[in-house]
């Protein structure tokens, strides 16, 4: 009789029983709704064991890759370990930090144990006192350190602490990885459109480099939007990347004119600029990160322009509520 | 009516219809405002569940689910005209996919059967 390991407990599965039914029968608190594998409310993650195709039917490819499944549809035949998305925790050390611009701090972490992630996903960083904030991962999985881009918020508890007080060697905790916004190598010729605002560039920087590292051949366009020139960062690195890889194109955009810049930018609303550059979107895959209003507006516009939601990956950065 | 789901094409039919249907409701000014401010991925999963039910497919929805799920929209003014617009868009979607009028009528009847619960009557 197979068992389910969940939150340090072990439960025996009854004959023909789903993961959801077993956990509910054992009094565990898990969310669910339709129980027919459609609404995805009962989404969980398999840490050990391979979910059935039925349990993953309709899920995004990036969720399937991470072992997510619908608990109402998986009847494991062998022992499995499952968890909710919020359950994985890691110990880490702050290794370094560097200002990338007036408003963006690069933070480098070293995890104390192997941390498996995809560029573009995010983690929740937890200070020793328990304060938590989420940041996208800009590094590649093959790199030894995890790279985060932290927007410095005046009076922001985490960003001010990271900027002013945290030093190399400071121990930290993080949970993750989370998110479905990352590159898949299944269609190497597919055009990729990456659009971000502010530190929405962090996941896009990771995704672009990940795609290029995996020999993506189709064109990759990266649009980074900011209010003024001061909001742009990694400009030189991205221009170098564009010089090295003919299939990669980088386009910074500004909402307001800025005559001090030494490189070409487009001026105007980011969503208007992107839509005017790409009259034809079908067959593309889009990654949208950053300001929620712009991310949601573009996602809707892309969808209405004919792009399938399956090919639109969005990560809206919702700010933490003041506490 | 238990064969309706298979006649329509089952899960593949739902998959084919859901994005077409969603695009229609998003551009229908009569109802598009009810879809503002909701995460699209979450929303389309709910629409897939709705279409599965309307196509006569497997579902576990109860009248209470319908009431709870739409109560906040009723507070925002959801009424018969909006329900009619949704059913109209559903019919247009199936017409576009080449479904016969007879089957469309059956789907519309199933959708219609949820009106009282959706509108909290």
């Amino acid at each position: 009789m197979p068992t389910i390991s969940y939150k340090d407990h072990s439960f025996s599965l009854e004959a023909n029983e789903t993961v959801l039914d077993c956990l509910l029968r054992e009094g565990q608190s898990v969310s669910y709704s339709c129980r027919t594998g459609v609404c995805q409310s009962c989404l969980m993650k398999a840490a050990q064991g391979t979910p059935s195709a039925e349990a993953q039917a309709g899920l995004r490819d990036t969720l399937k890759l991470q072992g997510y499944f619908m608990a109402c549809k998986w009847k494991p035949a062998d022992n499995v370990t499952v968890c909710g998305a919020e359950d994985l925790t890691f110990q880490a050390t702050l290794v370094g930090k560097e200002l990338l611009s007036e408003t963006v701090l690069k933070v480098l972490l070293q995890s104390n144990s192997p941390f498996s992630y995809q560029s573009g996903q995010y983690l929740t960083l937890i200070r020793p006192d328990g304060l938590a904030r989420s940041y996208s991962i800009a590094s590649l999985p093959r790199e030894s350190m995890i790279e985060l881009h932290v927007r410095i918020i005046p009076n922001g508890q985490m960003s001010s602490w990271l900027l002013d007080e945290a030093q190399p060697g400071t121990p930290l905790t993080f949970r993750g990885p989370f998110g479905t916004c990352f590159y898949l190598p299944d269609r190497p010729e597919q055009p990729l459109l990456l659009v971000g605002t502010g530190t929405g560039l962090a996941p896009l920087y990771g995704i672009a480099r990940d795609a290029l590292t995996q020999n993506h051949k189709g064109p990759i366009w990266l649009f980074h939007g900011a209010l003024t020139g001061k909001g742009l960062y990694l400009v030189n690195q991205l221009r170098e990347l564009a010089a090295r890889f003919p299939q990669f194109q980088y386009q910074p955009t500004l909402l307001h004119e800025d005559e001090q810049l030494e490189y070409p930018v487009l001026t105007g609303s980011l969503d208007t600029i992107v839509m005017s550059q790409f009259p034809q979107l079908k067959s593309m895959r889009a990654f949208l990160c950053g300001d929620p209003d712009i991310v949601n507006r573009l996602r809707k516009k892309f969808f209405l322009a004919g792009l399938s939601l399956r090919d639109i990956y969005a990560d809206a950065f919702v700010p933490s509520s003041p506490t | 009516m238990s064969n309706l789901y298979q006649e329509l094409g089952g899960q593949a039919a739902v998959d084919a219809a859901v994005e077409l249907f969603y695009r229609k409701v998003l551009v229908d000014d009569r109802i598009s405002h009810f879809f503002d401010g909701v995460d699209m991925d979450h929303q389309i999963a709910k629409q897939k569940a709705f279409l599965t039910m309307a196509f006569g497919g497997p579902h576990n929805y109860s009248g209470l689910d319908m009431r709870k799920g739409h109560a906040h929209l009723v507070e925002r003014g959801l009424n018969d005209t909006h329900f009619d617009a949704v059913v109209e868009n559903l019919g247009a979607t199936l017409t576009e996919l080449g479904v016969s009028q007879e089957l469309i009528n059956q789907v519309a009847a199933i959708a219609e059967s949820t009106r009282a619960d959706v509108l909290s009557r």
Side-chain angles (χ1 to χ4, degrees):
Chain A
M1 185 166 290
T3 62
I4 296 178
S5 297
Y6 176 65
K7 289 186 173 177
D8 298 325
H9 293 297
S10 196
F11 306 115
S12 291
L13 272 155
E14 292 180 353
N16 212 42
E17 188 174 44
T18 64
V19 169
L20 178 64
D21 288 337
C22 178
L23 294 179
L24 291 177
R25 178 173 52 75
E26 294 287 356
Q28 299 299 303
S29 169
V30 288
S31 71
Y32 67 96
S33 187
C34 76
R35 298 183 87 136
T36 60
V38 178
C39 73
Q40 300 182 17
S41 297
C42 61
L43 212 61
M44 296 187 84
K45 194 171 183 178
Q48 180 194 307
T50 303
S52 65
E54 191 184 19
Q56 293 191 315
L59 298 189
R60 282 187 173 272
D61 293 336
T62 48
L63 284 175
K64 293 178 185 177
L65 194 81
Q66 298 178 74
Y68 281 93
F69 65 95
M70 287 173 288
C72 69
K73 279 293 184 178
W74 191 16
K75 299 174 180 176
D78 301 301
N79 295 347
V80 300
T81 303
V82 303
C83 58
E86 293 289 325
D87 291 344
L88 299 169
T89 303
F90 296 81
Q91 307 301 315
T93 304
L94 179 69
V95 172
K97 52 183 186 177
E98 173 194 347
L99 276 174
L100 297 177
S101 76
E102 288 181 15
T103 57
V104 177
L105 179 72
K106 178 165 86 172
V107 170
L108 293 172
L109 300 178
Q110 185 110 54
S111 176
N112 294 6
S113 54
F115 175 57
S116 183
Y117 68 90
Q118 304 285 337
S119 304
Q121 291 191 285
Y122 66 94
L123 54 78
T124 298
L125 192 62
I126 307 165
R127 215 163 66 173
D129 67 349
L131 182 84
R133 294 287 187 268
S134 294
Y135 299 107
S136 294
I137 301 169
S139 46
L140 299 179
R142 297 163 284 283
E143 292 170 343
S144 59
M145 289 178 291
I146 300 161
E147 181 180 330
L148 311 174
H149 297 170
V150 175
R151 184 162 79 93
I152 300 168
I153 299 169
N155 301 313
Q157 291 182 75
M158 179 68 87
S159 60
S160 296
W161 179 77
L162 286 168
L163 177 65
D164 297 327
E165 296 178 47
Q167 296 301 328
T170 297
L172 292 158
T173 302
F174 67 87
R175 287 194 299 261
F178 308 115
T180 60
C181 208
F182 57 87
Y183 174 73
L184 289 177
D186 54 334
R187 291 159 69 183
E189 307 291 339
Q190 185 179 33
L192 305 180
L193 178 52
L194 285 60
V195 185
T197 65
T199 50
L201 179 62
L204 300 182
Y205 184 57
I207 289 164
R209 292 188 300 134
D210 192 28
L212 293 168
T213 300
Q214 299 196 53
N215 296 308
H216 189 81
K217 295 183 170 51
I220 304 169
W221 289 278
L222 193 157
F223 285 78
H224 184 215
L227 297 177
T228 66
K230 290 181 178 178
L232 296 172
Y233 69 101
L234 288 182
V235 172
N236 290 336
Q237 290 89 334
L238 287 160
R239 296 181 81 205
E240 279 171 25
L241 213 58
R244 275 175 54 204
F245 295 95
Q247 72 269 47
F248 176 71
Q249 294 172 63
Y250 162 63
Q251 180 60 67
T253 75
L254 299 179
L255 191 59
H256 307 297
E257 202 86 35
D258 193 326
E259 296 175 2
Q260 307 300 319
L261 299 182
E262 301 166 358
Y263 46 85
V265 297
L266 296 178
T267 305
S269 167
L270 179 57
D271 52 319
T272 303
I273 289 171
V274 173
M275 295 307 294
S276 68
Q277 300 274 312
F278 295 95
Q280 181 56 251
L281 283 169
K282 251 165 191 149
S283 87
M284 294 187 113
R285 181 171 294 178
F287 297 87
L288 312 172
C289 302
D291 179 79
D293 285 341
I294 292 174
V295 165
N296 291 327
R297 196 153 67 233
L298 268 174
R299 178 162 54 169
K300 186 172 178 181
K301 288 186 176 181
F302 284 0
F303 178 64
L304 291 178
L307 206 54
S308 170
L309 277 183
R310 286 187 307 274
D311 274 319
I312 304 173
Y313 292 88
D315 197 348
F317 289 6
V318 180
S320 299
S321 52
T323 50
Chain B
M1 193 163 277
S2 60
N3 277 338
L4 176 61
Y5 190 56
Q6 273 72 43
E7 273 193 88
L8 288 165
Q11 188 61 47
V14 172
D15 290 340
V18 69
E19 289 203 337
L20 207 53
F21 174 62
Y22 194 23
R23 286 194 182 94
K24 288 187 187 299
V25 299
L26 284 182
V27 300
D28 187 333
D29 290 341
R30 296 172 292 176
I31 51 181
S32 59
H33 53 286
F34 289 112
F35 297 87
D36 285 345
V38 187
D39 179 68
M40 289 175 75
D41 286 336
H42 186 66
Q43 200 160 73
I44 203 163
K46 291 203 166 191
Q47 300 207 347
K48 196 180 271 196
F50 164 68
L51 291 188
T52 299
M53 179 203 67
F55 286 16
H59 72 95
N60 272 330
Y61 283 121
S62 66
L64 188 56
D65 292 329
M66 286 292 171
R67 284 171 184 269
K68 281 184 178 175
H70 294 90
H72 67 293
L73 297 181
V74 172
E75 284 171 21
R76 286 171 52 192
L78 186 74
N79 61 39
D80 284 298
T81 61
H82 307 119
F83 193 97
D84 291 343
V86 169
V87 176
E88 179 188 310
N89 280 292
L90 179 53
T93 299
L94 296 183
T95 298
E96 203 166 309
L97 291 171
V99 176
S100 73
Q101 189 59 48
E102 180 194 353
L103 294 184
I104 292 176
N105 291 345
Q106 293 183 51
V107 170
I110 295 174
E112 181 63 41
S113 71
T114 69
R115 183 184 294 258
D117 287 321
V118 166
L119 299 180
S120 292
R121 296 194 176 132

